[in-house]
Amino acid sequence: MVQAVLAVDQGTTNSKAALVTAAGHVLATASAPVGLSTPRPGWVEQDATDLWQSVLTAITTCLTTASSSSAAVEVVAVALSTQRESVVGWDRSGEPVGPVLGWQDVRTAEWCAQLPSSVDDLVRRRTGLRVDAMFSAPKMRWLLDRSDAYVGTVDAWLIHRLTGCQEHLTEAGNASRTLLYDTLELDWSTELLEAFNVPLAALPDVRPSNAGFGVTKDVPGLADGIPIVAVLADSHAAMYGQGCTQAGMAKATYGTGSSVMTPVDGFVPSGCTLAWLTDRPMYALEGNIVSSGAALAWTADLLGLPNVGALTALAATVPSAEGVVLVPAFAGLGAPHWDREARAALTGMSSSTTRAHIARAAVDAVAHQICDITDTIPGTLSSLRADGGATVSALLMQTQADLLGHPVEAADIPEISALGVAELAWTTLGETTGWAGKRSFRTFEPEPDAGDRGRRRAEWAQAVASVRVRPA
Ligand code: G3P
């Protein structure tokens, strides 16, 4: 009998499951899509029941795959990594009330803009973040205005369901993305709860990332009583999995949006997030990009291509974008520009512009946005560790290294969040792990043309400036 941790990674576009041994070997994986709807401009919703069903499908498919391809597997623990900031509301019987308000949803942008500046000051001091419609608190307020519900981030919803509706718990790193959690005091902040008018009773209790989150109950395919030992936010789980814990290291996760994180010694009141909380808090500076994989998917669709793979293949047929720049501010600009009223633009086209140049501009846009954040990281960056679905594109990774002027190390397993949280689970169970040290990376060295890099970065900066609505 092989012992394994069942790691679930619930993301914006799909739910993944992996069975991972104490040595970090992946016995089986499975994935199930999750629907997403945009009923109005700026509204991005998911269905909480569908989301849970997709997790169940991923789990059962993964277990079935394992049973047909390897020795019998004993699931010793469950580990959970989840999309962040998105909010679910559910009633006392565990039934969802209303849609999941996705992290990309900006329906509360106007409400946020009307908050007094004292709230933004408080948010910065207590959370290291800033008031923005992406974060959970305004979404919770929106749901609570419509029903008397429990509210929580996706980790809390899944813990609730995995435990047969027994537990109402959330993990500290996920809580740190709500705007309600005091990231220094490591507890819900009474002042912030008051500022956003969210009652404490509606919120789950916060636990450290490896504190234990109850045991499984009534989960099809899984025995009752399996402990949920580790929970991390997905981007944070990738940082854990990448072994990105020393100053000078940074990781970029290329998902629907992108997240760049670099560890810092302690809390700083600007761009800071709680990566995880174990025996001590691990803080990180983070920049969130609203649209990266989403920009590639949008461009593929626009050009009538079947998928992002076809887009990057088309982009690779031309040596450059020939001055074409795509600024994918479809829902405004996130870090470090923070202008949610800005809108997307495609600039620099001439009569010789082809579909391939537009495809190339989309790839460039993903890399430029990462550079905009790494440019703000203090100190010297030795390299960037990359993960997430889009890292399979050698063109994107090479473009990233070229624009960065530093090597990029792409993880051998692109979807690393599940492995990251599985590693934390095994560590919690007393195993010695250190998997990142044993992992191999595909390293992309920058082309040494600094002049070209400067010109392309300047073109990008000019295009970004042209879409801004709020002054920089
Ligand atoms: O902050 C949002 C992020 O957690 C979403 O991740 O993997 O679904 O793009 P992903």
Side-chain angles (χ1 to χ4, degrees):
M1 188 78 114
V2 187
Q3 293 196 323
V5 161
L6 173 65
V8 173
D9 175 24
Q10 202 304 300
T12 315
T13 49
N14 49 43
S15 298
K16 289 149 271 184
L19 283 163
V20 188
T21 68
H25 294 136
V26 179
L27 301 176
T29 60
S31 173
V34 200
L36 184 135
S37 61
T38 50
R40 295 192 206 177
W43 290 35
V44 181
E45 300 182 350
Q46 297 193 290
D47 181 287
T49 306
D50 279 2
L51 200 139
W52 167 236
Q53 281 303 331
S54 77
V55 167
L56 288 181
T57 305
I59 289 177
T60 45
T61 312
C62 185
L63 292 170
T64 311
T65 309
S67 67
S68 58
S69 61
S70 66
V73 175
E74 182 197 358
V75 178
V76 292
V78 173
L80 188 58
S81 142
T82 51
Q83 59 170 303
R84 310 172 301 164
E85 295 113 15
S86 306
V87 172
V88 190
W90 62 93
D91 65 18
R92 297 326 187 225
S93 63
E95 285 307 308
V97 294
V100 179
L101 304 194
W103 58 273
Q104 296 150 293
D105 189 296
V106 288
R107 74 185 64 188
T108 61
E110 242 172 68
W111 185 81
C112 288
Q114 281 161 13
L115 287 170
S117 62
S118 56
V119 174
D120 194 49
D121 289 346
L122 183 66
V123 163
R124 285 171 196 257
R125 270 186 287 122
R126 298 279 183 240
T127 72
L129 305 172
R130 53 190 292 150
V131 171
D132 187 85
M134 178 180 80
F135 297 111
S136 316
K139 297 178 185 351
M140 289 175 170
R141 188 59 260 151
W142 193 93
L143 279 173
L144 289 166
D145 279 341
R146 282 150 187 85
S147 67
D148 172 30
Y150 287 125
V151 283
T153 40
V154 169
D155 61 316
W157 168 239
L158 294 180
I159 291 166
H160 191 62
R161 297 311 304 238
L162 285 164
T163 59
C165 303
Q166 299 297 301
E167 304 290 354
H168 191 41
L169 299 170
T170 191
E171 179 267 339
N174 276 286
S176 82
R177 308 295 298 174
T178 58
L179 302 186
L180 299 174
Y181 185 74
D182 189 318
T183 309
L184 193 57
E185 297 294 325
L186 302 173
D187 202 356
W188 294 125
S189 154
T190 317
E191 284 170 285
L192 287 167
L193 293 178
E194 224 167 83
F196 287 96
N197 192 17
V198 174
L200 182 63
L203 290 170
D205 288 341
V206 189
R207 293 227 169 139
S209 315
N210 59 351
F213 296 83
V215 297
T216 53
K217 188 169 183 296
D218 303 335
V219 181
L222 272 187
D224 282 357
I226 302 172
I228 304 169
V229 296
V231 177
L232 291 170
D234 56 4
S235 178
H236 310 193
M239 178 173 158
Y240 193 94
Q242 291 275 34
C244 186
T245 53
Q246 308 295 321
M249 296 177 90
K251 73 89 200 178
T253 301
Y254 298 75
T256 308
S258 287
S259 147
V260 182
M261 295 177 88
T262 185
V264 275
D265 267 351
F267 175 79
V268 281
S270 175
C272 190
T273 210
L274 179 67
W276 53 81
L277 175 62
T278 51
D279 52 336
R280 65 184 188 89
M282 168 61 88
Y283 292 103
L285 284 178
E286 179 180 24
N288 262 99
I289 294 158
V290 182
S291 179
S292 53
L296 296 175
W298 179 87
T299 312
D301 203 38
L302 179 80
L303 298 179
L305 296 166
N307 51 42
V308 167
L311 180 84
T312 52
L314 177 63
T317 62
V318 286
S320 80
E322 290 275 357
V324 179
V325 180
L326 171 68
V327 184
F330 301 108
L333 293 164
H337 309 289
W338 291 110
D339 184 350
R340 299 313 288 270
E341 287 159 46
R343 283 297 171 267
L346 193 55
T347 68
M349 287 182 288
S350 70
S351 55
S352 58
T353 296
T354 65
R355 295 161 78 246
H357 295 121
I358 294 173
R360 185 95 190 196
V363 173
D364 288 354
V366 174
H368 276 300
Q369 293 185 99
I370 299 278
C371 292
D372 287 352
I373 291 173
T374 54
D375 282 353
T376 67
I377 295 176
T380 315
L381 188 66
S382 52
S383 70
L384 182 75
R385 289 196 166 171
D387 58 85
T391 60
V392 296
S393 165
L395 175 68
L396 173 61
M397 293 295 94
Q398 187 60 53
T399 304
Q400 189 67 76
D402 293 348
L403 291 177
L404 202 61
H406 289 293
V408 171
E409 298 176 321
D412 54 352
I413 299 176
E415 303 286 1
I416 213 152
S417 295
L419 273 184
V421 79
E423 182 169 359
L424 176 61
W426 275 116
T427 308
T428 307
L429 294 171
E431 296 290 332
T432 305
T433 53
W435 298 343
K438 299 171 200 151
R439 189 162 292 137
S440 59
F441 294 92
R442 290 177 298 134
T443 303
F444 294 82
E445 296 289 342
E447 298 288 336
D449 190 345
D452 184 54
R453 181 178 311 132
R455 180 188 56 73
R456 290 167 71 187
R457 293 289 294 140
E459 257 173 23
W460 166 258
Q462 204 181 1
V464 169
S466 76
V467 305
R468 289 200 73 107
V469 173
R470 286 165 172 243

